[in-house]
Amino acid sequence: MTISNISRRGAIAGLAAASTLPAFAQTATPKPGGVLKISHPTRVAQLNVLQISGPAEYLAMDMLYSGLTRLGIDMRPMPDLATEWSATLDAKEFTFKLRPNVTFHDGKPFTSEDVVATIRTILDVKSNSPARAVLSMIVDVAAVDPMTVKFALNSPYADLPVALTHANARIVSAELLKQPLTTLDTKAIGTGPFKVETYDSARMLRLVKNPNYYQAGKPYLDAVEMHLFPDLAAESANFLSGAMDAMLEVQQADFKRISSAPGVTGQRVPSGRFVNIVMRQDQKPFDDVRVRRAMAMAVDRSTLVDIVLEGYGRPAADNCISPGYRYLLDSPSPKYDPAAAKKLLAEAGYPNGLKIPLVCSNRPAIRSQVGIAVKEMAKPAGFDIDVQTIPHDTYLANVWRKGQFYIGYWGMQSTEDAAFTLLFTSDAAFADTAWNNKKFDDLVAKGRAQIDDAERRKTYDEAQRLMMTDVPSIIPFFQDVLTASRNVVKNWTAHPLAKNFYVENVWLQRG
């Protein structure tokens, strides 16, 4: 029995896509060979695919590892190490057929035991993997035979093939997982199109072609070099000079100039990426919802889109679900109303205003840009904000998930459930607001288990209303993905999640 008659996008899309691989428009015959040089402003701090969380790390892992499924440009799951899948009608049991004749970079064959070992490691709390919250409905994973895996779930979840596209759920060899997990920090043995040759987190990651990649004839490139440029001006100059072939991320202020330069193509893709102004609810004054709501009313979102994003984005409503998801609650952004915010702040016990520090990491630069803009916007409401910009490593060690008032930065997720459980449920992978709301937790769990689309929409609508009413953090806008490549680079692809890049399709037309 299969799930083919269940009208849920994830399962149907998975089955429909099971016989195809992503198609990219080809204007010329790809040429093999060459080295692609990519610049990026943030470090590849680690190679542990189960724990990565940075923009450059996502690109590196997408080249080194494969998953059971992979998210397509259209946000639907497509085959990767699994060639097809099916589910029972109640969507509580899934069977995945695996791709034969795949090997890891060390030559060892890929089998169902590697899938079982990887998923069990992710579900082990000791792994501290962000994918654990997304896959928490899995109660058992077992190898039926060397090329078949079966998942048992504790509740219906037709989006399992989508959830398995998670960037931290790519498949690691069972043998490597027998070693201490810290081994993964510097050692990457996947089944992806490239394998590690040189790794220096402070300078450069060089990957070379995996000649045994399962897609015959790919990758086209001999090697990919990822070069770190902490200085954004130096990064732009090197790219425009031709020293680099592609920029992983282009700053909003530079996008128009760079994308219009001779020999350069810029790509802009709407996304659900956002900064969030975190107001921890286990600390004063943000344990009072009136203070949080006053802060929300003191932020002019349209102006932030104009001056910080240079127009490359859209206002948001303190809701982590963006227009790219299926179940977005259609709700206007809070009105910028400093007078009403000031009145509410007074009701909360701050008639003379509130002086408070706001901490921003220096990476990416958009965090401090938002902080400085919010400081000025919130003044008429009575907020006296002291913006403190600190090095990113210091932010991670001392502020993130600890500080009272700071600015986070997050990418888009593959499903609503993944977005909720990334930050906002009580057991969220990166819970940073201390918003432990049982009603919200219950709604997310209920929505995850619902097969009927209409019922699920009602549940997610209620969850989003609760988030906007309780304001665990301010989400002022959604930011587009901006990237650029030189015209000699073919098939350089931007994705709304900025976690899938399909570099195996990239080729160079030099000379």
Side-chain angles (χ1 to χ4, degrees), residues 454-474:
E455 291 302 314
R456 198 179 197 193
R457 176 173 293 282
K458 288 180 186 175
T459 302
Y460 280 161
D461 281 356
E462 191 175 352
Q464 290 171 77
R465 285 194 192 93
L466 189 56
M467 176 181 292
M468 290 185 280
T469 301
D470 227 22
V471 201
S473 66
I474 294 170

Side-chain angles (χ1 to χ4, degrees), residues 171-242:
I171 304 302
V172 182
S173 76
E175 184 167 315
L176 188 56
L177 289 172
K178 291 176 183 174
Q179 301 178 32
L181 288 183
T182 51
T183 304
L184 298 176
D185 293 348
T186 55
K187 190 174 184 179
I189 300 176
T191 57
F194 296 90
K195 52 187 182 180
V196 176
E197 181 180 86
T198 305
Y199 173 51
D200 179 345
S201 67
R203 294 182 57 222
M204 193 260 285
L205 172 65
R206 179 180 168 86
L207 310 179
V208 296
K209 177 177 183 173
N210 172 13
N212 299 315
Y213 184 50
Y214 73 76
Q215 291 193 47
K218 297 181 181 179
Y220 300 117
L221 300 165
D222 289 334
V224 177
E225 293 179 359
M226 295 178 61
H227 294 260
L228 174 63
F229 284 87
D231 184 296
L232 298 178
E235 182 184 16
S236 299
N238 271 272
F239 173 69
L240 292 174
S241 74

